[in-house]
Amino acid sequence: MVVTAKAADGKELGKVERHYHPQATNCRDFKMKYGAQWKVANLRDTSLQPGQAKKETIEFELPEGVRNADVTIELFYEASNPDNKYPIHTVTRKVSLDK
Amino acid sequence: MRFLKLILVLLFIAVPLVASADKAKTIDELAKMYDSSSCKGCHEDIYTQWEKSHHARPLMGVKGGLMLSPLAAKKGTDGATAFSEDDPKKMKIKNYPCFKCHLPQAITSAEDSVAVELTEALLAKDKVKIAKLQITCIVCHNTKAIIHKRELGEPEKGVIYSTKDMGAHPGGKIKKSAIFKDSIYCGQCHGLGPNLEFDQPFQCANLYGSYLHSYVSGGGTQTCQDCHMQKGDHLIAPNWNDDKGTSELLAKAISLDVQTLGYEWLRKAKTYVPKVVVSTKITTTAGHRIPDG
């Protein structure tokens, strides 16, 4: 998931990524491995679990003078390599500090 | 006595030959042995679904990749694995533990010469040859159809196993498999976690483990087949080569709720910090972790 905040002029104000997947090593060192041939056991698992919601709270501090932000949340799946993406949901929101 | 000796010698030579004659020596022989194209005549829709599935290209990975290439790489070279050898001619069936699931018929029905030929094909990136090796109808409807082998014996040759006994059938008699509708059937390959039975453990799919220990333990009752083989669909989605279909499937299973807030945070007296807060909540209806396989 990538959450991006941009100013009205398109300038990026902040970008945060969250990665949800099991992470394995070969149990001989602490380097994560890709590929079944090298993996031996999961070391950490941040994947989406059945019946459990994955919640995040992400904060962007706006620079002086910026009162509005366009926020985009992109949720996608990567298979095989990070360049092979399958978009799942894209949500955009305009956020203002003025009533 | 000489005649008897001669018979014994001939038997000694002939028996191994007969035994090896039961196994495929080449990729073509193995492909022919498990060829299921005759099923298409009567089950065209199912066959067409299967042709688009990953079961039809178990050694090809996603979008034409060759997932066994690291095993074929020369031992000691960059990208090689613990299963690699320094000469393709040394490769044996046991050098490809991935066959456990990606080509189970190789374990039961192939000579080591098939491993040598596959290694050479992988090094040559001969996708046409490698694509001949598939998880065909026979693999699922025979080879993997029985798990209670001590009680029920090995799958019978020439028998097609399915959800119910149906008697005579053009391709062979149809018998009921006790597990065909159960998740454990899929769990034979879409696995529990580390494969510790090998002399060098490795980890592929955790999916069935996740199903058992997260979904079932949470009260889930649906099977793999309930979701992935609705109406008998043999595509058994996702098909990762179909971008649009995969995105739609994922969007159906995964929900994203977003809440935003803009305000000025009072850090200390007279020091306001303009801030945007984004709260996300992702939920899934899948009966297993995402991602897994």
PDB file of all heavy atoms in Angstrom, chain A residues 37 39 42 45 48 54 56 58-60 62 77 84 86-87 89 93, chain B residues 63 67 202-203 240 247 254 258 264 274-276 278 280 282 289-291:
ATOM      1  N   GLN A  37      13.356 -21.842  -3.283  1.00  0.00           N
ATOM      2  CA  GLN A  37      14.615 -22.598  -3.271  1.00  0.00           C
ATOM      3  C   GLN A  37      15.555 -22.141  -2.167  1.00  0.00           C
ATOM      4  O   GLN A  37      16.446 -22.872  -1.765  1.00  0.00           O
ATOM      5  CB  GLN A  37      15.330 -22.461  -4.622  1.00  0.00           C
ATOM      6  CG  GLN A  37      14.524 -22.877  -5.812  1.00  0.00           C
ATOM      7  CD  GLN A  37      13.748 -21.728  -6.427  1.00  0.00           C
ATOM      8  OE1 GLN A  37      13.457 -20.733  -5.788  1.00  0.00           O
ATOM      9  NE2 GLN A  37      13.386 -21.872  -7.691  1.00  0.00           N
ATOM     10  N   LYS A  39      14.324 -20.036   0.645  1.00  0.00           N
ATOM     11  CA  LYS A  39      13.638 -19.776   1.916  1.00  0.00           C
ATOM     12  C   LYS A  39      13.548 -21.065   2.730  1.00  0.00           C
ATOM     13  O   LYS A  39      13.386 -22.146   2.181  1.00  0.00           O
ATOM     14  CB  LYS A  39      12.217 -19.269   1.661  1.00  0.00           C
ATOM     15  CG  LYS A  39      12.155 -17.909   1.008  1.00  0.00           C
ATOM     16  CD  LYS A  39      10.745 -17.361   0.988  1.00  0.00           C
ATOM     17  CE  LYS A  39       9.800 -18.184   0.163  1.00  0.00           C
ATOM     18  NZ  LYS A  39       8.473 -17.598   0.034  1.00  0.00           N
ATOM     19  N   ASN A  42       9.589 -18.620   7.792  1.00  0.00           N
ATOM     20  CA  ASN A  42       9.218 -17.229   7.982  1.00  0.00           C
ATOM     21  C   ASN A  42       9.872 -16.675   9.249  1.00  0.00           C
ATOM     22  O   ASN A  42       9.935 -17.348  10.277  1.00  0.00           O
ATOM     23  CB  ASN A  42       7.700 -17.078   8.115  1.00  0.00           C
ATOM     24  CG  ASN A  42       6.985 -17.354   6.799  1.00  0.00           C
ATOM     25  OD1 ASN A  42       7.612 -17.422   5.753  1.00  0.00           O
ATOM     26  ND2 ASN A  42       5.682 -17.514   6.854  1.00  0.00           N
ATOM     27  N   ASP A  45       5.818 -11.932   9.693  1.00  0.00           N
ATOM     28  CA  ASP A  45       4.670 -12.062   8.796  1.00  0.00           C
ATOM     29  C   ASP A  45       3.760 -10.857   8.965  1.00  0.00           C
ATOM     30  O   ASP A  45       3.096 -10.710   9.987  1.00  0.00           O
ATOM     31  CB  ASP A  45       3.912 -13.357   9.100  1.00  0.00           C
ATOM     32  CG  ASP A  45       2.826 -13.646   8.077  1.00  0.00           C
ATOM     33  OD1 ASP A  45       2.638 -12.818   7.164  1.00  0.00           O
ATOM     34  OD2 ASP A  45       2.168 -14.700   8.188  1.00  0.00           O
ATOM     35  N   LEU A  48      -1.920 -10.050   5.172  1.00  0.00           N
ATOM     36  CA  LEU A  48      -3.324  -9.925   5.566  1.00  0.00           C
ATOM     37  C   LEU A  48      -3.792 -11.294   6.053  1.00  0.00           C
ATOM     38  O   LEU A  48      -3.611 -12.292   5.360  1.00  0.00           O
ATOM     39  CB  LEU A  48      -4.178  -9.484   4.370  1.00  0.00           C
ATOM     40  CG  LEU A  48      -3.728  -8.226   3.625  1.00  0.00           C
ATOM     41  CD1 LEU A  48      -4.699  -7.924   2.485  1.00  0.00           C
ATOM     42  CD2 LEU A  48      -3.618  -7.032   4.571  1.00  0.00           C
ATOM     43  N   LYS A  54      -6.467  -5.106   9.024  1.00  0.00           N
ATOM     44  CA  LYS A  54      -5.129  -4.485   9.079  1.00  0.00           C
ATOM     45  C   LYS A  54      -5.350  -2.973   9.113  1.00  0.00           C
ATOM     46  O   LYS A  54      -5.835  -2.390   8.140  1.00  0.00           O
ATOM     47  CB  LYS A  54      -4.333  -4.910   7.848  1.00  0.00           C
ATOM     48  CG  LYS A  54      -2.925  -4.429   7.784  1.00  0.00           C
ATOM     49  CD  LYS A  54      -2.000  -5.124   8.737  1.00  0.00           C
ATOM     50  CE  LYS A  54      -1.633  -6.521   8.300  1.00  0.00           C
ATOM     51  NZ  LYS A  54      -0.657  -7.145   9.225  1.00  0.00           N
ATOM     52  N   GLU A  56      -4.025   1.027   9.790  1.00  0.00           N
ATOM     53  CA  GLU A  56      -2.866   1.928   9.806  1.00  0.00           C
ATOM     54  C   GLU A  56      -3.343   3.345  10.081  1.00  0.00           C
ATOM     55  O   GLU A  56      -4.431   3.730   9.653  1.00  0.00           O
ATOM     56  CB  GLU A  56      -2.147   1.943   8.441  1.00  0.00           C
ATOM     57  CG  GLU A  56      -1.765   0.605   7.895  1.00  0.00           C
ATOM     58  CD  GLU A  56      -0.542  -0.012   8.569  1.00  0.00           C
ATOM     59  OE1 GLU A  56       0.049   0.672   9.436  1.00  0.00           O
ATOM     60  OE2 GLU A  56      -0.217  -1.147   8.240  1.00  0.00           O
ATOM     61  N   ILE A  58      -1.642   7.026   9.345  1.00  0.00           N
ATOM     62  CA  ILE A  58      -0.485   7.680   8.717  1.00  0.00           C
ATOM     63  C   ILE A  58      -0.677   9.201   8.813  1.00  0.00           C
ATOM     64  O   ILE A  58      -1.756   9.716   8.491  1.00  0.00           O
ATOM     65  CB  ILE A  58      -0.350   7.215   7.251  1.00  0.00           C
ATOM     66  CG1 ILE A  58       0.007   5.719   7.231  1.00  0.00           C
ATOM     67  CG2 ILE A  58       0.689   8.046   6.499  1.00  0.00           C
ATOM     68  CD1 ILE A  58      -0.335   5.019   5.958  1.00  0.00           C
ATOM     69  N   GLU A  59       0.350   9.887   9.257  1.00  0.00           N
ATOM     70  CA  GLU A  59       0.247  11.344   9.445  1.00  0.00           C
ATOM     71  C   GLU A  59       1.229  12.080   8.533  1.00  0.00           C
ATOM     72  O   GLU A  59       2.372  11.651   8.370  1.00  0.00           O
ATOM     73  CB  GLU A  59       0.553  11.704  10.899  1.00  0.00           C
ATOM     74  CG  GLU A  59      -0.385  11.040  11.895  1.00  0.00           C
ATOM     75  CD  GLU A  59      -0.122  11.498  13.322  1.00  0.00           C
ATOM     76  OE1 GLU A  59       0.596  12.503  13.507  1.00  0.00           O
ATOM     77  OE2 GLU A  59      -0.644  10.842  14.251  1.00  0.00           O
ATOM     78  N   PHE A  60       0.740  13.143   7.939  1.00  0.00           N
ATOM     79  CA  PHE A  60       1.610  14.028   7.139  1.00  0.00           C
ATOM     80  C   PHE A  60       1.561  15.428   7.754  1.00  0.00           C
ATOM     81  O   PHE A  60       0.479  15.983   7.955  1.00  0.00           O
ATOM     82  CB  PHE A  60       1.123  14.116   5.688  1.00  0.00           C
ATOM     83  CG  PHE A  60       1.148  12.815   4.946  1.00  0.00           C
ATOM     84  CD1 PHE A  60      -0.041  12.125   4.698  1.00  0.00           C
ATOM     85  CD2 PHE A  60       2.332  12.277   4.493  1.00  0.00           C
ATOM     86  CE1 PHE A  60      -0.031  10.941   4.007  1.00  0.00           C
ATOM     87  CE2 PHE A  60       2.350  11.084   3.798  1.00  0.00           C
ATOM     88  CZ  PHE A  60       1.165  10.404   3.558  1.00  0.00           C
ATOM     89  N   LEU A  62       2.027  19.252   7.173  1.00  0.00           N
ATOM     90  CA  LEU A  62       2.042  20.119   5.991  1.00  0.00           C
ATOM     91  C   LEU A  62       2.998  21.299   6.192  1.00  0.00           C
ATOM     92  O   LEU A  62       3.097  21.831   7.310  1.00  0.00           O
ATOM     93  CB  LEU A  62       0.635  20.651   5.716  1.00  0.00           C
ATOM     94  CG  LEU A  62      -0.466  19.592   5.553  1.00  0.00           C
ATOM     95  CD1 LEU A  62      -1.782  20.261   5.145  1.00  0.00           C
ATOM     96  CD2 LEU A  62      -0.072  18.545   4.522  1.00  0.00           C
ATOM     97  N   TYR A  77      -1.172  -5.556  -5.449  1.00  0.00           N
ATOM     98  CA  TYR A  77      -0.515  -6.835  -5.174  1.00  0.00           C
ATOM     99  C   TYR A  77       0.696  -6.930  -6.094  1.00  0.00           C
ATOM    100  O   TYR A  77       0.611  -6.582  -7.271  1.00  0.00           O
ATOM    101  CB  TYR A  77      -1.505  -7.965  -5.495  1.00  0.00           C
ATOM    102  CG  TYR A  77      -1.127  -9.343  -5.006  1.00  0.00           C
ATOM    103  CD1 TYR A  77      -1.806  -9.927  -3.945  1.00  0.00           C
ATOM    104  CD2 TYR A  77      -0.126 -10.090  -5.616  1.00  0.00           C
ATOM    105  CE1 TYR A  77      -1.489 -11.206  -3.502  1.00  0.00           C
ATOM    106  CE2 TYR A  77       0.204 -11.357  -5.189  1.00  0.00           C
ATOM    107  CZ  TYR A  77      -0.486 -11.917  -4.127  1.00  0.00           C
ATOM    108  OH  TYR A  77      -0.170 -13.186  -3.696  1.00  0.00           O
ATOM    109  N   ASN A  84       5.792  -6.082 -11.153  1.00  0.00           N
ATOM    110  CA  ASN A  84       4.598  -6.769 -11.655  1.00  0.00           C
ATOM    111  C   ASN A  84       3.449  -6.525 -10.674  1.00  0.00           C
ATOM    112  O   ASN A  84       3.244  -7.295  -9.742  1.00  0.00           O
ATOM    113  CB  ASN A  84       4.880  -8.267 -11.810  1.00  0.00           C
ATOM    114  CG  ASN A  84       3.736  -8.978 -12.494  1.00  0.00           C
ATOM    115  OD1 ASN A  84       3.100  -8.434 -13.396  1.00  0.00           O
ATOM    116  ND2 ASN A  84       3.438 -10.182 -12.045  1.00  0.00           N
ATOM    117  N   TYR A  86      -0.582  -5.663  -9.541  1.00  0.00           N
ATOM    118  CA  TYR A  86      -2.006  -5.847  -9.827  1.00  0.00           C
ATOM    119  C   TYR A  86      -2.768  -4.853  -8.949  1.00  0.00           C
ATOM    120  O   TYR A  86      -2.858  -5.064  -7.729  1.00  0.00           O
ATOM    121  CB  TYR A  86      -2.447  -7.276  -9.504  1.00  0.00           C
ATOM    122  CG  TYR A  86      -1.684  -8.326 -10.273  1.00  0.00           C
ATOM    123  CD1 TYR A  86      -0.461  -8.807  -9.796  1.00  0.00           C
ATOM    124  CD2 TYR A  86      -2.156  -8.815 -11.483  1.00  0.00           C
ATOM    125  CE1 TYR A  86       0.256  -9.752 -10.495  1.00  0.00           C
ATOM    126  CE2 TYR A  86      -1.452  -9.767 -12.198  1.00  0.00           C
ATOM    127  CZ  TYR A  86      -0.237 -10.230 -11.700  1.00  0.00           C
ATOM    128  OH  TYR A  86       0.477 -11.176 -12.406  1.00  0.00           O
ATOM    129  N   PRO A  87      -3.288  -3.764  -9.527  1.00  0.00           N
ATOM    130  CA  PRO A  87      -4.023  -2.791  -8.716  1.00  0.00           C
ATOM    131  C   PRO A  87      -5.254  -3.428  -8.076  1.00  0.00           C
ATOM    132  O   PRO A  87      -5.949  -4.221  -8.722  1.00  0.00           O
ATOM    133  CB  PRO A  87      -4.443  -1.726  -9.730  1.00  0.00           C
ATOM    134  CG  PRO A  87      -3.574  -1.941 -10.925  1.00  0.00           C
ATOM    135  CD  PRO A  87      -3.235  -3.393 -10.949  1.00  0.00           C
ATOM    136  N   HIS A  89      -7.219  -1.472  -5.153  1.00  0.00           N
ATOM    137  CA  HIS A  89      -8.073  -0.309  -4.889  1.00  0.00           C
ATOM    138  C   HIS A  89      -7.224   0.958  -4.951  1.00  0.00           C
ATOM    139  O   HIS A  89      -6.077   0.959  -4.496  1.00  0.00           O
ATOM    140  CB  HIS A  89      -8.700  -0.371  -3.492  1.00  0.00           C
ATOM    141  CG  HIS A  89      -9.622  -1.533  -3.290  1.00  0.00           C
ATOM    142  ND1 HIS A  89     -10.834  -1.653  -3.943  1.00  0.00           N
ATOM    143  CD2 HIS A  89      -9.520  -2.640  -2.496  1.00  0.00           C
ATOM    144  CE1 HIS A  89     -11.435  -2.767  -3.565  1.00  0.00           C
ATOM    145  NE2 HIS A  89     -10.652  -3.394  -2.694  1.00  0.00           N
ATOM    146  N   ARG A  93      -8.656  11.383  -1.851  1.00  0.00           N
ATOM    147  CA  ARG A  93      -9.393  12.273  -0.948  1.00  0.00           C
ATOM    148  C   ARG A  93      -8.758  13.663  -0.971  1.00  0.00           C
ATOM    149  O   ARG A  93      -7.532  13.773  -0.987  1.00  0.00           O
ATOM    150  CB  ARG A  93      -9.351  11.738   0.493  1.00  0.00           C
ATOM    151  CG  ARG A  93     -10.098  10.454   0.718  1.00  0.00           C
ATOM    152  CD  ARG A  93     -11.614  10.688   0.711  1.00  0.00           C
ATOM    153  NE  ARG A  93     -12.344   9.461   0.498  1.00  0.00           N
ATOM    154  CZ  ARG A  93     -12.652   8.598   1.453  1.00  0.00           C
ATOM    155  NH1 ARG A  93     -12.300   8.859   2.685  1.00  0.00           N
ATOM    156  NH2 ARG A  93     -13.318   7.509   1.183  1.00  0.00           N
TER     157      ARG A  93
ATOM    158  N   LYS B  63       3.809 -15.124 -15.830  1.00  0.00           N
ATOM    159  CA  LYS B  63       4.099 -14.419 -17.080  1.00  0.00           C
ATOM    160  C   LYS B  63       5.347 -14.941 -17.799  1.00  0.00           C
ATOM    161  O   LYS B  63       6.255 -14.188 -18.177  1.00  0.00           O
ATOM    162  CB  LYS B  63       4.188 -12.908 -16.826  1.00  0.00           C
ATOM    163  CG  LYS B  63       2.836 -12.341 -16.360  1.00  0.00           C
ATOM    164  CD  LYS B  63       2.850 -10.861 -16.179  1.00  0.00           C
ATOM    165  CE  LYS B  63       1.451 -10.383 -15.781  1.00  0.00           C
ATOM    166  NZ  LYS B  63       1.402  -8.973 -15.433  1.00  0.00           N
ATOM    167  N   MET B  67      10.548 -20.885 -13.348  1.00  0.00           N
ATOM    168  CA  MET B  67      10.804 -20.836 -11.901  1.00  0.00           C
ATOM    169  C   MET B  67      11.852 -21.840 -11.413  1.00  0.00           C
ATOM    170  O   MET B  67      12.378 -21.690 -10.324  1.00  0.00           O
ATOM    171  CB  MET B  67       9.499 -20.987 -11.107  1.00  0.00           C
ATOM    172  CG  MET B  67       8.557 -22.085 -11.541  1.00  0.00           C
ATOM    173  SD  MET B  67       8.951 -23.733 -10.949  1.00  0.00           S
ATOM    174  CE  MET B  67       8.762 -23.563  -9.201  1.00  0.00           C
ATOM    175  N   PHE B 202      13.295 -26.365   2.410  1.00  0.00           N
ATOM    176  CA  PHE B 202      12.946 -25.147   1.688  1.00  0.00           C
ATOM    177  C   PHE B 202      11.471 -24.864   1.946  1.00  0.00           C
ATOM    178  O   PHE B 202      10.727 -25.728   2.369  1.00  0.00           O
ATOM    179  CB  PHE B 202      13.219 -25.282   0.178  1.00  0.00           C
ATOM    180  CG  PHE B 202      12.396 -26.340  -0.485  1.00  0.00           C
ATOM    181  CD1 PHE B 202      11.230 -26.016  -1.168  1.00  0.00           C
ATOM    182  CD2 PHE B 202      12.768 -27.671  -0.417  1.00  0.00           C
ATOM    183  CE1 PHE B 202      10.472 -27.004  -1.770  1.00  0.00           C
ATOM    184  CE2 PHE B 202      11.998 -28.662  -1.015  1.00  0.00           C
ATOM    185  CZ  PHE B 202      10.854 -28.326  -1.689  1.00  0.00           C
ATOM    186  N   GLN B 203      11.100 -23.631   1.682  1.00  0.00           N
ATOM    187  CA  GLN B 203       9.719 -23.241   1.966  1.00  0.00           C
ATOM    188  C   GLN B 203       9.053 -22.657   0.741  1.00  0.00           C
ATOM    189  O   GLN B 203       9.545 -21.719   0.143  1.00  0.00           O
ATOM    190  CB  GLN B 203       9.678 -22.206   3.095  1.00  0.00           C
ATOM    191  CG  GLN B 203       8.256 -21.746   3.397  1.00  0.00           C
ATOM    192  CD  GLN B 203       8.202 -20.821   4.578  1.00  0.00           C
ATOM    193  OE1 GLN B 203       8.571 -21.206   5.667  1.00  0.00           O
ATOM    194  NE2 GLN B 203       7.766 -19.604   4.358  1.00  0.00           N
ATOM    195  N   TRP B 240      -2.407 -15.453 -12.781  1.00  0.00           N
ATOM    196  CA  TRP B 240      -1.555 -14.262 -12.666  1.00  0.00           C
ATOM    197  C   TRP B 240      -1.151 -13.698 -14.015  1.00  0.00           C
ATOM    198  O   TRP B 240      -0.593 -12.593 -14.087  1.00  0.00           O
ATOM    199  CB  TRP B 240      -0.311 -14.568 -11.827  1.00  0.00           C
ATOM    200  CG  TRP B 240      -0.650 -14.946 -10.429  1.00  0.00           C
ATOM    201  CD1 TRP B 240      -0.649 -16.204  -9.885  1.00  0.00           C
ATOM    202  CD2 TRP B 240      -1.086 -14.067  -9.372  1.00  0.00           C
ATOM    203  NE1 TRP B 240      -1.057 -16.153  -8.575  1.00  0.00           N
ATOM    204  CE2 TRP B 240      -1.322 -14.869  -8.231  1.00  0.00           C
ATOM    205  CE3 TRP B 240      -1.291 -12.688  -9.290  1.00  0.00           C
ATOM    206  CZ2 TRP B 240      -1.764 -14.328  -7.022  1.00  0.00           C
ATOM    207  CZ3 TRP B 240      -1.722 -12.147  -8.086  1.00  0.00           C
ATOM    208  CH2 TRP B 240      -1.951 -12.960  -6.969  1.00  0.00           C
ATOM    209  N   SER B 247      -6.879  -8.551 -10.792  1.00  0.00           N
ATOM    210  CA  SER B 247      -7.232  -7.345 -10.029  1.00  0.00           C
ATOM    211  C   SER B 247      -8.679  -7.415  -9.548  1.00  0.00           C
ATOM    212  O   SER B 247      -8.986  -7.060  -8.407  1.00  0.00           O
ATOM    213  CB  SER B 247      -7.036  -6.093 -10.893  1.00  0.00           C
ATOM    214  OG  SER B 247      -5.673  -5.771 -10.974  1.00  0.00           O
ATOM    215  N   ILE B 254     -10.721  -8.322  -1.120  1.00  0.00           N
ATOM    216  CA  ILE B 254     -10.045  -7.389  -0.201  1.00  0.00           C
ATOM    217  C   ILE B 254     -10.772  -6.043  -0.211  1.00  0.00           C
ATOM    218  O   ILE B 254     -11.013  -5.472  -1.270  1.00  0.00           O
ATOM    219  CB  ILE B 254      -8.571  -7.185  -0.612  1.00  0.00           C
ATOM    220  CG1 ILE B 254      -7.829  -8.525  -0.574  1.00  0.00           C
ATOM    221  CG2 ILE B 254      -7.892  -6.167   0.295  1.00  0.00           C
ATOM    222  CD1 ILE B 254      -6.450  -8.480  -1.204  1.00  0.00           C
ATOM    223  N   VAL B 258     -11.101   3.983   3.982  1.00  0.00           N
ATOM    224  CA  VAL B 258     -10.191   5.110   4.229  1.00  0.00           C
ATOM    225  C   VAL B 258     -10.932   6.250   4.931  1.00  0.00           C
ATOM    226  O   VAL B 258     -12.044   6.619   4.524  1.00  0.00           O
ATOM    227  CB  VAL B 258      -9.598   5.638   2.897  1.00  0.00           C
ATOM    228  CG1 VAL B 258      -8.745   6.881   3.145  1.00  0.00           C
ATOM    229  CG2 VAL B 258      -8.789   4.556   2.201  1.00  0.00           C
ATOM    230  N   GLU B 264      -5.145  21.327  12.827  1.00  0.00           N
ATOM    231  CA  GLU B 264      -3.892  21.949  13.263  1.00  0.00           C
ATOM    232  C   GLU B 264      -3.585  21.491  14.690  1.00  0.00           C
ATOM    233  O   GLU B 264      -4.350  21.787  15.622  1.00  0.00           O
ATOM    234  CB  GLU B 264      -4.000  23.470  13.162  1.00  0.00           C
ATOM    235  CG  GLU B 264      -4.039  23.925  11.701  1.00  0.00           C
ATOM    236  CD  GLU B 264      -4.234  25.424  11.563  1.00  0.00           C
ATOM    237  OE1 GLU B 264      -3.251  26.162  11.736  1.00  0.00           O
ATOM    238  OE2 GLU B 264      -5.361  25.851  11.276  1.00  0.00           O
ATOM    239  N   PRO B 274       0.155  22.114  11.038  1.00  0.00           N
ATOM    240  CA  PRO B 274      -0.910  21.615  10.156  1.00  0.00           C
ATOM    241  C   PRO B 274      -0.664  20.150   9.794  1.00  0.00           C
ATOM    242  O   PRO B 274       0.460  19.769   9.458  1.00  0.00           O
ATOM    243  CB  PRO B 274      -0.809  22.524   8.933  1.00  0.00           C
ATOM    244  CG  PRO B 274       0.530  23.132   8.974  1.00  0.00           C
ATOM    245  CD  PRO B 274       1.019  23.106  10.387  1.00  0.00           C
ATOM    246  N   LYS B 275      -1.686  19.375   9.901  1.00  0.00           N
ATOM    247  CA  LYS B 275      -1.487  17.934   9.775  1.00  0.00           C
ATOM    248  C   LYS B 275      -2.636  17.275   9.022  1.00  0.00           C
ATOM    249  O   LYS B 275      -3.799  17.668   9.165  1.00  0.00           O
ATOM    250  CB  LYS B 275      -1.373  17.361  11.194  1.00  0.00           C
ATOM    251  CG  LYS B 275      -0.939  15.926  11.264  1.00  0.00           C
ATOM    252  CD  LYS B 275      -0.812  15.477  12.700  1.00  0.00           C
ATOM    253  CE  LYS B 275       0.555  15.818  13.264  1.00  0.00           C
ATOM    254  NZ  LYS B 275       0.883  15.054  14.472  1.00  0.00           N
ATOM    255  N   VAL B 276      -2.303  16.267   8.242  1.00  0.00           N
ATOM    256  CA  VAL B 276      -3.304  15.409   7.589  1.00  0.00           C
ATOM    257  C   VAL B 276      -3.139  14.001   8.156  1.00  0.00           C
ATOM    258  O   VAL B 276      -2.019  13.481   8.190  1.00  0.00           O
ATOM    259  CB  VAL B 276      -3.120  15.401   6.055  1.00  0.00           C
ATOM    260  CG1 VAL B 276      -3.932  14.281   5.412  1.00  0.00           C
ATOM    261  CG2 VAL B 276      -3.505  16.750   5.460  1.00  0.00           C
ATOM    262  N   VAL B 278      -4.397  10.074   7.855  1.00  0.00           N
ATOM    263  CA  VAL B 278      -5.059   9.095   6.982  1.00  0.00           C
ATOM    264  C   VAL B 278      -5.160   7.770   7.753  1.00  0.00           C
ATOM    265  O   VAL B 278      -4.141   7.213   8.175  1.00  0.00           O
ATOM    266  CB  VAL B 278      -4.248   8.878   5.679  1.00  0.00           C
ATOM    267  CG1 VAL B 278      -4.979   7.903   4.749  1.00  0.00           C
ATOM    268  CG2 VAL B 278      -3.975  10.200   4.975  1.00  0.00           C
ATOM    269  N   THR B 280      -6.404   3.888   7.512  1.00  0.00           N
ATOM    270  CA  THR B 280      -6.812   2.851   6.565  1.00  0.00           C
ATOM    271  C   THR B 280      -7.162   1.574   7.323  1.00  0.00           C
ATOM    272  O   THR B 280      -6.587   1.274   8.378  1.00  0.00           O
ATOM    273  CB  THR B 280      -5.685   2.540   5.556  1.00  0.00           C
ATOM    274  OG1 THR B 280      -4.531   2.097   6.270  1.00  0.00           O
ATOM    275  CG2 THR B 280      -5.332   3.754   4.727  1.00  0.00           C
ATOM    276  N   ILE B 282      -7.871  -2.453   6.164  1.00  0.00           N
ATOM    277  CA  ILE B 282      -7.964  -3.460   5.102  1.00  0.00           C
ATOM    278  C   ILE B 282      -8.542  -4.736   5.700  1.00  0.00           C
ATOM    279  O   ILE B 282      -8.068  -5.223   6.732  1.00  0.00           O
ATOM    280  CB  ILE B 282      -6.575  -3.760   4.498  1.00  0.00           C
ATOM    281  CG1 ILE B 282      -5.934  -2.485   3.955  1.00  0.00           C
ATOM    282  CG2 ILE B 282      -6.680  -4.796   3.383  1.00  0.00           C
ATOM    283  CD1 ILE B 282      -4.463  -2.648   3.592  1.00  0.00           C
ATOM    284  N   ARG B 289      -4.003 -16.464   4.432  1.00  0.00           N
ATOM    285  CA  ARG B 289      -3.270 -15.194   4.385  1.00  0.00           C
ATOM    286  C   ARG B 289      -3.125 -14.738   2.940  1.00  0.00           C
ATOM    287  O   ARG B 289      -3.152 -15.537   2.011  1.00  0.00           O
ATOM    288  CB  ARG B 289      -1.896 -15.313   5.045  1.00  0.00           C
ATOM    289  CG  ARG B 289      -0.877 -16.044   4.238  1.00  0.00           C
ATOM    290  CD  ARG B 289       0.549 -15.692   4.632  1.00  0.00           C
ATOM    291  NE  ARG B 289       0.913 -16.053   5.985  1.00  0.00           N
ATOM    292  CZ  ARG B 289       1.143 -17.294   6.400  1.00  0.00           C
ATOM    293  NH1 ARG B 289       1.006 -18.303   5.570  1.00  0.00           N
ATOM    294  NH2 ARG B 289       1.504 -17.551   7.630  1.00  0.00           N
ATOM    295  N   ILE B 290      -3.013 -13.443   2.781  1.00  0.00           N
ATOM    296  CA  ILE B 290      -2.690 -12.849   1.478  1.00  0.00           C
ATOM    297  C   ILE B 290      -1.477 -11.967   1.694  1.00  0.00           C
ATOM    298  O   ILE B 290      -1.517 -11.085   2.559  1.00  0.00           O
ATOM    299  CB  ILE B 290      -3.864 -11.999   0.928  1.00  0.00           C
ATOM    300  CG1 ILE B 290      -5.087 -12.898   0.644  1.00  0.00           C
ATOM    301  CG2 ILE B 290      -3.449 -11.279  -0.353  1.00  0.00           C
ATOM    302  CD1 ILE B 290      -6.310 -12.117   0.202  1.00  0.00           C
ATOM    303  N   PRO B 291      -0.392 -12.212   0.962  1.00  0.00           N
ATOM    304  CA  PRO B 291      -0.228 -13.178  -0.117  1.00  0.00           C
ATOM    305  C   PRO B 291       0.229 -14.547   0.380  1.00  0.00           C
ATOM    306  O   PRO B 291       0.843 -14.662   1.441  1.00  0.00           O
ATOM    307  CB  PRO B 291       0.881 -12.534  -0.964  1.00  0.00           C
ATOM    308  CG  PRO B 291       1.741 -11.836   0.042  1.00  0.00           C
ATOM    309  CD  PRO B 291       0.784 -11.327   1.101  1.00  0.00           C
TER     310      PRO B 291
END
